[in-house]
Amino acid sequence: MTADHSAPAFADVARRLEAILLVVDEPQSLVSLATAVAAPVPAVRQAVEGLVDDYDGRGTGPRRGFELREVGGGWRLYVREEHDELVSEFVNAQAPSRLSQAALETLAVIAYKQPVTRSQVASIRAVNVDSVVRTLLARGLITELFTDAETGAINYGTTDALLVNLGINSLDELPHISPLLEDGADGFESENVR
Amino acid sequence: MTADHSAPAFADVARRLEAILLVVDEPQSLVSLATAVAAPVPAVRQAVEGLVDDYDGRGTGPRRGFELREVGGGWRLYVREEHDELVSEFVNAQAPSRLSQAALETLAVIAYKQPVTRSQVASIRAVNVDSVVRTLLARGLITELFTDAETGAINYGTTDALLVNLGINSLDELPHISPLLEDGADGFESENVR
Amino acid sequence: MAPSPERDATPDIPPVNEPASETAADGAGFRVSLGVFDGPFDLLLSLITKHQLDITEVSLSRVTDEFIAYLRQVGPDEELDEASEFLVVAVTLLDMKVAGLLPQGELVDAESVALLEARDLLFARLLQYRAFKEVSGWFAGRLQTEDRRHVRAVRLDEKYRRAVPELVWTLSAEDFAALALLAFAPKEIPHVGLDHLHAPLISIREQAAVVVALLRRAGTLNFRELIAGVHQPGVVVARFLSVLELYRHAAISFEQLEPLGELTLRWTAERWTEENLATLGADYDR
């Protein structure tokens, strides 16, 4: 509403964003941030970009020990990477158990092929994937998207939690493998190869 | 250790303090902070004071939406008071007045299985439960009981607030579902055939 | 999932990814330590990598031989579906090899067309599998990097928590227990629904659970009582089979005074755990 004084309004939005970012426990989209600080999305976008620069030391201040990152579809405060070890020691963090190679490959297939059924994944990997799918579900990395009305097969897709775990903001940021896939596309789409 | 170059060392301590302060729940004493960032207490005191001024806008940067405050003998980041209302509204808008089905089921699992870790609950529910556990914690329906010395996993249990909501005096008054619990799966006592 | 590492394993054989040492003609030249591979494509890829060859017809015959040799090591008691996955690939490879050995006539007959298609399909799937295998390395790296990151996730201050609207709670203790039952119910990954194709499958184990529950409560029952109120013939059959199984486990005894006469069942098990139930009727699973 008081959009006449551009500079103070911007600073104001940035300060309110800082307050909100301090309490959130999930990535917040620009829209959700805009609602929270009662400002239009473009102003919030500008303020967020300003804060990123600010914390990265491209403003008047120093490069902070924390940073503002866009991950998993939203913005959150992170410890800057160079201090990760220090913080790990302090919080005595346990390294979470790693995913098996089979789980990683299955996850990759689901990420690129979603929505995809278990039998489609199995035919790409040529092995049974049931237990691996269960692990990925329990980790919250994949989710059931919908059930095929005709076959009753469940279609799986990846979650925002996967994006967060990969440190990316959207599936578009996955590396390109389409050239390889196009080669192989014909034939196996017909799915009853066994 | 490299206390010869006072200025860069100070900045360095301040940045590491920022990293630690970003992740702590509880106010941290100067001694604890000094241990965390591996710097002598006087240097840490100086850096903390520097950060207070910095966040309050008495340095080169703006007055931040958060502040560094000493409360109960320790230091922690707080939302600056002038943004309290904004944050309250945000939190309020985020928290529905009813628990979701997922949250209720997770709560039930914790109630009957306590003490229980998040990953145990996740494997019973076959979904990731991190965010609902946070919700239940925030609602005061569950609490952290203790941390497993070996695995570092936090064990959760229910609170008196749950008992009050259920209208019972103790956990013993929860209706029995023990056949299910003993072996976790085959609840055949209930005789209902598909 | 992978074949068990013990059987037929020859541990002193170099890993398959190593550059090809000359292992040619001597039949048993190529041995793999079982358990290394997670599937036929995995094996095929390893063989191809081992010979540092492109997937071309030139390499095909050799790779086929080694693949078949590997398959021979997979014993007959190997998991059926696992072995069959390997077999499908092996048959395709063999077909292709045979086609390569035979002189090619000018006439393109239906069979060779089908063979070409099979080859293209196999190659296509192999390429695809390799693509996913490669990209899974990227996933592993990213997950590992991000595991080390720390995000701000602190408890909400008490004063903000108080701002949260009062929780609306409508469940009684009984509702809550019912919810718990629901939550503890085993969550099998649902299978593709085939109900529209076949009669629904009836589990002997589930029926045995019912029989056990009924008999333990009553002590003695005749079979008619055991199937009282059951209208599905399949359930009756399953209950009968589970009675036989329970007899085999010495959990019950039965009496029948005359042929086709009343069958009286008595619960006799001194020790009975749910584990017995879990393995019961396993013979009928396939």
Side-chain angles (χ1 to χ4, degrees):
Chain A
M1 276 144 221
T2 50
D4 358 351
H5 310 291
S6 170
F10 161 75
D12 198 41
V13 170
R15 303 294 75 82
R16 284 186 277 159
L17 282 175
E18 287 184 318
I20 296 292
L21 288 167
L22 206 70
V23 300
V24 299
D25 60 6
E26 267 167 18
Q28 299 293 320
S29 68
L30 285 180
V31 173
S32 136
L33 288 173
T35 315
V37 303
V41 171
V44 170
R45 178 179 295 121
Q46 203 190 339
V48 163
E49 281 163 11
L51 281 177
V52 171
D53 284 350
D54 184 355
Y55 296 162
D56 284 355
R58 289 190 294 271
T60 53
R63 190 158 169 272
R64 301 284 165 190
F66 48 81
E67 63 178 330
L68 186 53
R69 285 176 79 202
E70 188 178 21
V71 165
W75 295 89
R76 266 181 103 178
L77 290 173
Y78 276 77
V79 170
R80 201 170 284 281
E81 200 167 359
E82 64 208 63
H83 302 297
D84 277 341
E85 209 174 320
L86 189 80
V87 173
S88 290
E89 274 169 35
F90 177 72
V91 300
N92 198 8
Q94 296 282 323
S97 60
R98 297 248 184 96
L99 290 176
S100 67
Q101 180 63 26
L104 285 168
E105 286 174 24
T106 302
L107 185 59
V109 172
I110 295 174
Y112 284 94
K113 283 283 187 186
Q114 59 186 311
V116 66
T117 66
R118 253 179 311 143
S119 65
Q120 285 165 347
V121 177
S123 91
I124 292 170
R125 297 206 54 247
V127 287
N128 190 293
V129 294
D130 291 5
S131 79
V132 167
V133 163
R134 222 187 305 258
T135 305
L136 295 174
L137 279 172
R139 289 277 189 106
L141 299 175
I142 61 168
T143 185
E144 298 178 358
L145 292 179
F146 58 88
T147 305
D148 188 296
E150 241 169 85
T151 64
I154 296 168
N155 279 265
Y156 296 90
T158 55
T159 61
D160 285 349
L162 172 69
L163 300 181
V164 171
N165 277 291
L166 290 173
I168 60 176
N169 191 43
S170 90
L171 290 171
D172 300 340
E173 292 175 40
L174 291 176
H176 264 280
I177 56 165
S178 49
L180 277 168
L181 285 179
E182 271 152 26
D183 279 351
D186 28 297
F188 96 99
E189 218 72 295
S190 61
E191 106 183 41
N192 50 343
V193 200
R194 301 193 169 200
Chain B
M1 279 145 220
T2 49
D4 357 349
H5 310 291
S6 171
F10 162 75
D12 198 40
V13 171
R15 300 294 76 83
R16 284 186 278 160
L17 280 175
E18 286 184 318
I20 298 290
L21 288 167
L22 197 76
V23 299
V24 298
D25 271 320
E26 306 283 333
Q28 300 292 319
S29 69
L30 285 180
V31 173
S32 143
L33 288 174
T35 314
V37 303
V41 171
V44 170
R45 178 179 295 118
Q46 202 192 339
V48 164
E49 279 163 11
L51 281 177
V52 171
D53 284 351
D54 185 354
Y55 295 162
D56 284 355
R58 288 190 293 275
T60 53
R63 190 159 169 272
R64 301 282 163 191
F66 47 81
E67 59 182 336
L68 184 54
R69 251 171 47 202
E70 187 178 20
V71 170
W75 294 88
R76 218 191 77 185
L77 291 175
Y78 289 88
V79 170
R80 206 171 279 284
E81 207 169 347
E82 65 208 63
H83 301 296
D84 271 356
E85 204 177 324
L86 192 77
V87 171
S88 294
E89 272 170 35
F90 173 75
V91 168
N92 197 321
Q94 298 256 307
S97 57
R98 282 168 192 278
L99 291 178
S100 67
Q101 178 75 11
L104 285 171
E105 283 186 29
T106 301
L107 182 59
V109 170
I110 294 173
Y112 280 92
K113 274 282 191 190
Q114 59 189 307
V116 65
T117 67
R118 244 180 320 160
S119 63
Q120 286 166 343
V121 179
S123 79
I124 292 170
R125 301 254 305 109
V127 287
N128 186 280
V129 295
D130 292 2
S131 91
V132 288
V133 164
R134 267 203 301 268
T135 304
L136 295 173
L137 277 171
R139 281 295 187 176
L141 294 169
I142 62 170
T143 183
E144 299 179 355
L145 293 179
F146 58 89
T147 304
D148 187 296
E150 237 169 87
T151 66
I154 298 168
N155 280 264
Y156 296 90
T158 53
T159 62
D160 289 348
L162 174 67
L163 300 182
V164 171
N165 278 320
L166 289 173
I168 57 179
N169 289 315
S170 87
L171 289 172
D172 300 338
E173 292 175 39
L174 279 177
H176 261 280
I177 59 163
S178 52
L180 273 174
L181 289 177
E182 274 149 23
D183 54 325
D186 316 84
F188 60 88
E189 221 70 302
S190 58
E191 173 179 341
N192 52 334
V193 190
R194 295 195 193 169
Chain C
M1 221 173 280
S4 90
E6 294 91 54
R7 179 151 29 85
D8 269 358
T10 0
D12 49 342
I13 295 301
V16 279
N17 298 0
E18 268 181 23
S21 53
E22 195 48 50
T23 55
D26 109 74
F30 177 77
R31 289 296 257 329
V32 289
S33 127
L34 296 182
V36 174
F37 302 110
D38 188 41
F41 294 153
D42 221 5
L43 175 61
L44 216 46
L45 263 185
S46 305
L47 292 175
I48 289 163
T49 322
K50 177 187 162 226
H51 292 291
Q52 299 182 311
L53 295 170
D54 290 327
I55 324 167
T56 63
E57 275 178 88
V58 187
S59 66
L60 195 60
S61 138
R62 181 149 176 196
V63 166
T64 305
D65 287 346
E66 296 186 356
F67 191 90
I68 303 300
Y70 167 80
L71 207 59
R72 287 211 187 94
Q73 302 175 6
V74 180
D77 51 338
E78 204 57 62
E79 287 293 325
L80 188 62
D81 61 334
E82 193 174 301
S84 64
E85 280 155 358
F86 279 85
L87 278 171
V88 169
V89 174
V91 166
T92 314
L93 280 171
L94 264 184
D95 269 356
M96 288 152 55
K97 182 183 171 186
V98 168
L101 292 174
L102 293 176
Q104 297 290 311
E106 299 91 67
L107 284 176
V108 180
D109 59 304
E111 240 176 88
S112 55
V113 168
L115 224 49
L116 278 176
E117 279 171 359
R119 187 196 63 182
D120 287 349
L121 180 61
L122 187 69
F123 286 177
R125 292 177 67 187
L126 197 53
L127 278 173
Q128 173 167 252
Y129 175 71
R130 185 171 63 181
F132 285 120
K133 200 177 172 63
E134 273 167 15
V135 85
S136 75
W138 180 86
F139 275 75
R142 293 296 316 175
L143 290 171
Q144 206 185 329
T145 307
E146 209 58 29
D147 265 354
R148 288 194 290 258
R149 299 303 308 265
H150 298 276
V151 69
R152 178 167 172 89
V154 301
R155 226 174 319 136
L156 201 56
D157 269 344
E158 192 49 46
K159 64 175 168 185
Y160 302 128
R161 211 184 288 178
R162 271 186 263 119
V164 169
E166 190 80 12
L167 188 64
V168 177
W169 186 276
T170 53
L171 295 183
S172 69
E174 285 70 30
D175 296 338
F176 191 68
L179 207 60
L181 275 171
L182 191 66
F184 280 110
K187 292 192 185 45
E188 284 303 309
I189 287 199
H191 283 266
V192 178
L194 296 173
D195 292 6
H196 57 295
L197 298 178
H198 308 287
L201 289 175
I202 292 153
S203 154
I204 290 175
R205 211 162 294 145
E206 274 172 24
Q207 294 306 317
V210 175
V211 170
V212 169
L214 291 173
L215 271 176
R216 285 179 93 170
R217 193 173 315 152
T220 306
L221 282 177
N222 62 42
F223 191 71
R224 227 156 355 119
E225 291 168 319
L226 206 54
I227 55 167
V230 174
H231 301 295
Q232 266 178 285
V235 174
V236 176
V237 172
R239 288 206 185 166
F240 183 72
L241 288 175
S242 65
V243 163
L244 295 181
E245 282 293 309
L246 287 167
Y247 177 72
R248 250 174 67 174
H249 281 70
I252 61 171
S253 65
F254 55 78
E255 276 169 34
Q256 198 173 24
L257 296 177
E258 49 179 338
L260 302 177
E262 195 81 76
L263 188 61
T264 308
L265 307 161
R266 186 169 293 120
W267 183 253
T268 58
E270 284 173 13
R271 267 186 230 146
W272 178 258
T273 67
E274 307 322 324
E275 271 167 44
N276 297 357
L277 198 58
T279 56
L280 186 129
D283 298 350
Y284 299 96
D285 279 355
R286 288 181 188 276

